[in-house]
């Protein structure tokens, strides 16, 4: 997704070097760079939030999640490229003025879609919200000061976060309220943000919101009980799908952001996770016979995403880029990264 030039970029006379050519291709043209990339879909500056929701396949992911699959949407790109805007829409500053419905992001649109369906098909919905900051996993929903939670592995569950809160919800308002609480100014200390040469709102953490979808039909069957989330075998076993939205930290290289001291510790942790994600994607993009070990264990992010990246999940990467000439090298690196991701196949 190519975002529009911002006012600041227009004011200082940045040139637009990224253009969508239609047919799912995007062209980058600048003095010494000419490159065309192909994707399943390309959205340019004029694309509405609705168009991105309908055209990127997120609606299908929501449906697959309701059918019991593990689905993940992740937004990748440098700080300021539009990741948060794409997932959540413009964040309201200070006073919580509601966002115009047309500007709501992929997450709110997915919630509406899920809740509409849940009324007719008896789905029970719950959410968990984690951040990875400096290679520590934190629960954004737990009250009190943020606390690192251990990330464990078991044969049956794969990687999971111990003692993670999981909150039931039954309306779009409830889940949106949850999101707002965490991302609004009141929650600013929780979702790490720091003033920064590149973008003062730059987010230095990875945020993962997961919706757990259980078919409620299970509670009508006494033997299966309810609430534990345990999966039982047999023809009547409940389906349990997940839909996860990942707002990745900025992918820009450290030297370009002028980080120092504590910030560079942050930047290194961010890069460690993104680097590991890149390595996993590179391995997964190889034909099955040519793959070597996929290094999921190299970072917290890749452990948590292991299931959706690896075998059984369905994942969508939304690569966000700025059209500005000043962002050229980051834009090219994002597009190369996304091209590798596109070659990954999974067997859901
Ligand atoms: P990121 O999360 O990647 O750091 P943001 O989502 O915060 O970037 O976007 C940076 C700025 O650009 C914000 O002011 C946002 O409102 C604006 N923006 C991003 N994408 C769009 C878009 N498609 N249309 C209009 N404004 C956008
Ligand atoms: Mg952001």
């Amino acid at each position: 997704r190519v975002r529009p030039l911002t006012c600041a970029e227009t004011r200082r006379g940045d040139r637009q070097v990224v253009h969508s050519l239609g047919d799912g291709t995007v062209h980058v043209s600048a003095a010494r760079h000419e490159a065309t990339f192909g994707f399943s879909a390309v959205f340019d500056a004029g694309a509405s939030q609705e168009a991105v929701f309908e055209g990127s396949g997120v609606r299908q992911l929501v449906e697959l999640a309701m059918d019991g699959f593990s689905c993940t949407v992740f937004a990748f790109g440098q700080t300021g490229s539009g990741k948060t805007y794409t997932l959540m829409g413009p964040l309201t500053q200070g006073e919580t003025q509601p966002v115009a419905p047309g500007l709501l992001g992929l997450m709110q649109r997915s919630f509406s879609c899920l809740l509409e369906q849940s009324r007719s098909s008896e789905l029970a919905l719950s959410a968990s919200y984690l951040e990875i900051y400096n290679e520590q996993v934190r629960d954004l929903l737990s009250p009190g000061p943020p606390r690192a939670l251990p990330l464990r592995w078991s044969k049956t569950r794969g990687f999971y976060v111990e003692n993670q809160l999981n909150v039931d919800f039954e309306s779009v308002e409830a889940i949106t309220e949850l999101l707002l609480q965490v991302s609004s100014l009141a929650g600013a200390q929780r979702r790490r943000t720091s003033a920064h040469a590149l973008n003062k709102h730059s987010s230095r953490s990875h945020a993962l919101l997961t919706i757990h979808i259980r078919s409620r039909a299970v509670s009508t069957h006494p033997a299966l009980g309810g609430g534990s989330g345990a999966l039982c075998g047999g023809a009547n076993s409940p389906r349990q799908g997940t839909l996860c939205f990942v707002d990745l930290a900025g992918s820009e290289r450290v030297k370009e952001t002028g980080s120092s001291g504590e910030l560079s510790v942050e930047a290194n942790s961010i890069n460690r996770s993104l680097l590991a994600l890149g390595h996993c994607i590179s391995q997964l993009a190889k034909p099955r016979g040519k793959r070597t070990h996929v290094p999921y264990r190299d970072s917290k992010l890749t452990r948590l995403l292991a299931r959706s990246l690896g075998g059984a999940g369905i994942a969508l990467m939304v690569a966000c880029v700025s059209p500005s000439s000043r962002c050229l090298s980051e834009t090219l690196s994002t597009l190369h990264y996304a091209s590798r991701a596109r070659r990954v196949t999974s067997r859901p």
Side-chain angles (χ1 to χ4, degrees):
R1 185 181 198 185
V2 189
R3 70 154 165 75
L5 282 170
T6 61
C7 295
E9 287 170 338
T10 309
R11 235 180 291 125
R12 68 182 184 203
D14 288 12
R15 276 182 318 110
Q16 175 147 358
V17 295
V18 187
H19 297 273
S20 155
L21 301 179
D23 291 353
T25 58
V26 62
H27 186 68
V28 181
S29 71
R32 277 175 294 121
H33 296 276
E34 290 280 336
T36 305
F37 298 82
F39 298 105
S40 354
V42 174
F43 302 95
D44 63 15
S48 65
Q49 297 282 70
E50 160 102 33
V52 175
F53 180 71
E54 297 296 342
S56 61
V58 175
R59 185 185 281 283
Q60 286 91 312
L61 285 188
V62 173
E63 284 161 9
L64 286 163
M66 288 189 289
D67 283 340
F69 290 95
S70 301
C71 300
T72 306
V73 177
F74 51 109
F76 180 86
Q78 80 179 112
T79 299
S81 58
K83 298 180 296 295
T84 304
Y85 184 95
T86 296
L87 290 177
M88 296 200 239
L91 290 179
T92 49
Q93 301 283 321
E95 301 302 303
T96 43
Q97 258 186 8
V99 175
L103 297 182
L104 291 173
L106 295 179
M107 287 164 82
Q108 295 95 330
R109 287 169 200 275
S110 304
F111 305 154
S112 309
C113 195
L114 265 175
L115 285 154
E116 239 165 64
Q117 290 293 320
S118 81
R119 255 167 253 136
S120 51
S121 47
E122 292 283 299
L123 300 171
L125 304 172
S126 63
S128 57
Y129 203 1
L130 298 172
E131 75 169 357
I132 302 174
Y133 176 70
N134 281 348
E135 284 300 292
Q136 289 190 332
V137 181
R138 292 162 170 186
D139 194 333
L140 291 170
L141 297 184
S142 81
R147 207 159 44 93
L149 295 179
L151 187 55
R152 306 214 186 276
W153 189 86
S154 85
K155 236 179 183 160
T156 46
R157 300 175 66 181
F159 292 107
Y160 67 96
V161 176
E162 198 170 72
N163 299 326
Q164 168 184 9
L165 279 184
N166 205 11
V167 179
D168 291 335
F169 66 94
E170 287 181 343
S171 70
V172 176
E173 289 72 32
I175 178 75
T176 306
E177 181 60 27
L178 212 73
L179 272 185
L180 271 179
Q181 260 175 31
V182 176
S183 39
S184 72
L185 292 184
Q189 320 96 293
R190 321 232 44 226
R191 174 94 164 87
R192 305 275 137 180
T193 50
S194 50
H196 202 270
L198 196 68
N199 178 340
K200 62 178 188 288
H201 295 295
S202 98
S203 170
R204 311 313 292 154
S205 62
H206 309 282
L208 297 87
L209 180 105
T210 308
I211 309 288
H212 305 268
I213 307 159
R214 274 172 293 127
S215 76
R216 250 199 273 254
V218 52
S219 59
T220 62
H221 192 304
L224 295 178
S228 73
L231 285 175
C232 307
N236 290 325
S237 71
R239 286 172 308 188
Q240 177 164 317
T242 56
L243 181 61
C244 181
F245 294 91
V246 187
D247 193 348
L248 292 168
S251 60
E252 59 275 4
R253 267 158 290 167
V254 186
K255 62 174 173 13
E256 289 178 26
T257 62
S259 296
S260 64
E262 192 189 340
L263 279 181
S264 87
V265 175
E266 289 184 5
N268 285 331
S269 308
I270 292 158
N271 284 0
R272 176 158 144 205
S273 272
L274 283 180
L275 204 66
L277 181 61
H279 289 156
C280 290
I281 287 175
S282 295
Q283 279 305 323
L284 291 166
K286 292 181 182 170
R288 248 157 240 276
K290 296 212 166 125
R291 268 184 214 171
T292 53
H293 166 71
V294 183
Y296 294 118
R297 287 180 182 267
D298 283 4
S299 78
K300 298 274 162 68
L301 179 69
T302 44
R303 285 179 214 203
L304 283 174
L305 291 179
R307 199 171 354 178
S308 48
L309 290 172
I314 304 160
L316 169 72
M317 175 185 275
V318 184
C320 298
V321 297
S322 153
S324 158
S325 45
R326 299 215 189 184
C327 297
L328 180 66
S329 74
E330 290 302 337
T331 293
L332 285 169
S333 107
T334 298
L335 295 174
H336 282 297
Y337 198 101
S339 299
R340 276 199 302 280
R342 198 187 171 207
R343 292 204 299 271
V344 177
T345 52
S346 60
R347 288 176 182 167

